[in-house]
Amino acid sequence: MDFNLLTALDVLLAEASVTGASRKLGLSPSAMSRTLARLRAATGDPLLVRAGRHLVPTPYAAEIHDRVHELTRDVRSILHPSCRELDLATLDRTFTIRANEGFVQFFASPLVKAVMDVAPRARLRFAPKPDKDVQPLREGRIDLEIGVRSESAPEIRSRLLFRDEFIGVARVGHPIFSGGPINVERYIACRHVITSRRGAFRGPVDDVLEAMGHRRIVSVVVPGFPDALRIVNSSDLITHVPQSGLGRHIIDPAETKRLRTFPLPIRTPEIAVCMMWHPRLDADPAHQWLRETVHKSCRTLLGN
């Protein structure tokens, strides 16, 4: 079925004239006549018949006139969505954002304020992030994913929020801060606590060390950076945290006076923290506003 015929039928019934319909649709009279012939063949009804110098609708054509017009309008609304302006003051919608504990701890408050200030009826649900599975995005169970982009789902859209790198952390007075510069040998001589959602005893730092022919001792694995810092705060273990995204706020002297940071003696891969979403939401006005709000909130908090 050629649905263009529906538009042609709507105009023909409204104009009751092949010439008038051809003018309205930008077709030649002969092309419009051929279209009318196709419509007659498809419906099994003459639709428009001559009465003197004019065309008049058949009883069937008169019966379906209003239905054809409504169907045509509905098809147009589906194929050409309305670009009406988003009314944030009345936006009544729940957005689910999946992010790790560190992001929620340091970015959720300014994000909530930015949302509530302009969209008081909107709701935010922060979901835990146990893995990098993209299926919740594909199935529409979450609206945004925050984290490092995976190459396993090429259809997922993304936008960079900020770039990060790791810094070392130890308690004030730790032996690593005495005896000269912190080199690789002194770094791997310490015992470490690391963060892993999967409970793994190795990570990007270990990959770099292994490539250099070194190995460190990982004594403790915890699920989140705040957990690692609490352990470091009261022990001789050391750890590493993201600097620009999380470390700057975790290691706030006003809050954690017993912790001290140091540059890692190795170069680790840069961390690109992105927000990710499914293409089905790409053109949604409310989702576009949410993405812009998340991006602006992160950049503002980081002073970028």
Side-chain angles (χ1 to χ4, degrees), residues 172-213:
V172 172
H174 191 285
I176 198 171
F177 296 120
S178 59
I182 300 175
N183 54 27
V184 175
E185 288 71 22
R186 297 185 59 222
Y187 178 71
I188 64 174
C190 299
R191 304 182 75 88
H192 297 250
V193 51
I194 67 171
T195 299
S196 171
R197 293 190 304 270
R198 295 174 287 111
F201 274 83
R202 64 175 293 131
V205 169
D206 300 279
D207 295 335
V208 175
L209 287 171
E210 186 176 39
M212 298 170 62

Side-chain angles (χ1 to χ4, degrees), residues 78 80 128 136 243 300:
I78 291 171
H80 301 283
Q243 181 182 34
T300 300

Side-chain angles (χ1 to χ4, degrees), residues 118-180:
V118 295
R121 297 177 63 183
R123 296 169 297 278
L124 294 180
R125 178 192 293 121
F126 289 96
K129 185 177 179 177
D131 51 45
K132 293 185 178 182
D133 183 17
V134 298
Q135 208 56 32
L137 277 176
R138 288 171 169 164
E139 295 174 357
R141 288 185 279 130
I142 61 175
D143 295 280
L144 272 183
E145 170 102 15
I146 308 296
V148 178
R149 180 177 172 82
S150 171
E151 299 301 324
S152 62
E155 83 277 16
I156 298 300
R157 306 287 172 81
S158 66
R159 182 179 182 184
L160 179 69
L161 292 176
F162 54 86
R163 299 186 184 278
D164 230 330
E165 62 181 0
F166 287 122
I167 55 172
V169 186
R171 66 171 177 82
V172 172
H174 191 285
I176 198 171
F177 296 120
S178 59

Side-chain angles (χ1 to χ4, degrees), residues 234-254:
S234 57
S235 72
D236 276 343
L237 275 69
I238 65 174
T239 192
H240 60 270
V241 298
Q243 181 182 34
S244 61
L246 302 178
R248 181 186 303 178
H249 304 283
I250 292 176
I251 315 300
D252 185 342

Side-chain angles (χ1 to χ4, degrees), residues 24-41:
K24 196 164 186 178
L25 291 176
L27 300 173
S28 67
S30 59
M32 198 73 246
S33 294
R34 290 194 295 271
T35 300
L36 177 57
R38 291 179 62 197
L39 284 165
R40 285 168 172 166

Side-chain angles (χ1 to χ4, degrees), residues 19 22 116 127 129 132 156 225:
T19 303
S22 66
M116 296 297 115
K129 185 177 179 177
K132 293 185 178 182
I156 298 300
F225 293 117

